[in-house]
Amino acid sequence: MASASGVVTRFAPSPTGFLHIGGARTALFNWLYAKHTGGRFLLRIEDTDRARSTDAAIAAILDGLQWLGLDWEGEPVFQFARAERHKEVAYQLLESGNAYRCYTTPAELEAYRAEVDEARKALADAKKAGAPAEEIARLESVLAAKPRVFNSPYRDGKTPPAPDAPFVIRLKAPREGETVVEDQVQGRVQWANKDLDDMVLLRSDGTPTYMLAVVVDDHDMGITHVIRGDDHLTNAARQTQIYTAMGWEVPTFAHIPLIHGPDGAKLSKRHGALGVDAYRAMGYLPDAMRNYLARLGWGHGDDEIFTTAQAAEWFDLDAIGRSPSRFDFAKLENLNGVYIRNTSDAELVRQIKVIAPEVEAAKEFASRIDEAGWKKLELAMPGLKERAKSLVELLVAARYLFVPRPLDLDEKAAKILSPEARKHLAALKERFAALETWDAPSIEAATRAYAEETGAKLGNIAQPLRAAATGRTVSPPVFDVLAVLGRDEALARIADQAA
């Protein structure tokens, strides 16, 4: 399964919920590195937690990746379906002497850990109370005999309690020396082997553990680079021991810092939306999300805005920082606004159609938009998108196109439409009706001519026109609004509010 460059990356989410924004960034980094190197990007669904894995979550993950434009090669690999292969490797390790059957029961393990906790507490209490040195030394000796790392007596050949006693298969991890990971982001990381216990590979019911399944799958899929969150850094040490025991080549690891909220705390629900689907529903463009997520922890000089092709060209692991990135919602909004202004009107309408049913603020009219209405929205888009920072803002701002007559004026609009303003509207209606061409320049020219003739300020005429046309005091340029509404609808709305 090697690629032309030899590089194979993967994204391996657990389908227990939505595609987390942090997971999306991890997928993006793997995808970018594969693109940068001419390698392959694969997808694995780690669905071994049968109680929590759901088809809906799998669908949400696939949908989120597709929306972000992160295409993977081949069919997704489902971890649960490979359980027999994982079990096979556990028994290979058993046969080679790199693993052993452990008959220690869960109750015995719990009792041992309780003894360790009790010994630790006794030592801490003695030190706090100022106990004699000899008592401190005695307690330290007791604790030293009970390391937190469980040392199974069955590793050294203790006789099983019964021929048919249940057992787990544990890795016979090295006791001396160190396990070293040359991480592409974190640098050289070392663990004393005495602090790493003999991890369980196969449970007593015959099911593989996460640690074993990940290593077997990565090896069989030909994964050369494991790029993931730094909360998996310790797992790299344990997984390296399995690779070594099997005589397999250890992949290159790159553990990226997690994303934090604006306050520096780990990103959580209290900071805002966590799922990619929520950002789509809030009206963010996938191109903007890719750009923003790429900048969270990775940088290329002072470049803030770049195309996906540029990101793939520039991306490399050595430019990923070691410190957590802070998710800045204001920056994302501003960036999204830039992308909106640079996206074609037709494409914006296409994407708005997708999210329109989910936009609470637009439910009163969104369901009534027909094909002619979408065309009208596309015509209005140049004026709408100049200040908008999301697709939701675009849709809500376009409300005036779809509300029925007579318009429901807001408080400010009603206040602007004074008796004098309504007289201006009546006069302008007659002038507009006589226009040969119905477009923004013609409407503006007629309005300016009327203002000059009457000595009125243009703003004192334009605002009542805006109120009559939209029911609001804020909108895209009013002459553009009137042009998009069309002659008949615009004149009818003006007539509704004229004296």
Side-chain angles (χ1 to χ4, degrees), residues 427-449 479 482-483 487 490-491 494:
L428 284 168
K429 174 181 174 295
E430 299 304 321
R431 296 205 175 200
F432 290 165
L435 289 175
E436 293 184 5
T437 303
W438 188 260
D439 57 24
S442 299
I443 299 168
E444 182 177 0
T447 305
R448 288 185 178 278
F479 305 119
L482 293 168
R487 185 192 299 267
L491 293 179
I494 292 171

Side-chain angles (χ1 to χ4, degrees), residues 153-266:
Y154 298 100
R155 174 186 171 110
D156 302 319
K158 179 182 176 182
T159 304
D164 59 348
F167 62 87
V168 301
I169 294 180
R170 289 183 179 272
L171 180 72
K172 188 177 286 186
R175 283 281 177 263
E176 305 296 326
E178 294 178 325
T179 295
V180 179
V181 170
E182 300 289 353
D183 194 89
Q184 296 300 293
V185 175
Q186 304 296 330
R188 183 181 178 86
V189 188
Q190 302 161 270
W191 292 264
N193 286 332
K194 65 181 180 61
D195 296 330
L196 299 173
D197 61 2
D198 292 345
M199 77 188 90
V200 175
L201 302 174
L202 207 65
R203 301 181 185 92
S204 59
D205 63 0
T207 59
T209 61
Y210 166 81
M211 289 295 183
L212 175 65
V214 166
V215 170
V216 175
D217 289 346
D218 281 343
H219 172 265
D220 289 0
M221 292 170 69
I223 304 302
T224 62
H225 290 71
V226 174
I227 306 168
R228 58 190 178 186
D230 62 6
D231 52 333
H232 287 279
L233 185 56
T234 301
N235 291 348
R238 295 175 173 276
Q239 291 162 8
T240 293
Q241 291 183 340
I242 299 176
Y243 278 105
T244 302
M246 283 299 296
W248 292 342
E249 185 175 353
V250 180
T252 298
F253 288 108
H255 289 88
I256 56 181
L258 302 181
I259 300 173
H260 286 186
D263 58 358
K266 183 180 177 182

Side-chain angles (χ1 to χ4, degrees), residues 310-388:
Q310 288 173 319
E313 178 186 349
W314 299 336
F315 188 87
D316 212 340
L317 300 177
D318 59 7
I320 299 175
R322 295 186 184 182
S323 300
S325 303
R326 295 195 181 194
F327 200 101
D328 188 323
F329 292 90
K331 279 189 176 181
L332 173 58
E333 278 192 349
N334 290 331
L335 183 65
N336 200 53
V338 172
Y339 273 87
I340 283 175
R341 289 187 289 279
N342 290 318
T343 299
S344 73
D345 300 336
E347 175 62 16
L348 290 174
V349 171
R350 187 190 71 79
Q351 299 217 29
I352 288 174
K353 281 184 178 180
V354 174
I355 68 166
E358 303 173 51
V359 179
E360 193 66 35
K363 283 188 175 178
E364 60 170 311
F365 65 85
S367 62
R368 300 195 304 269
I369 304 176
D370 55 16
E371 279 308 307
W374 291 118
K375 287 291 185 184
K376 188 177 288 187
L377 176 59
E378 185 176 337
L379 290 173
M381 198 57 69
L384 290 169
K385 69 184 185 181
E386 281 308 305
R387 291 182 294 179

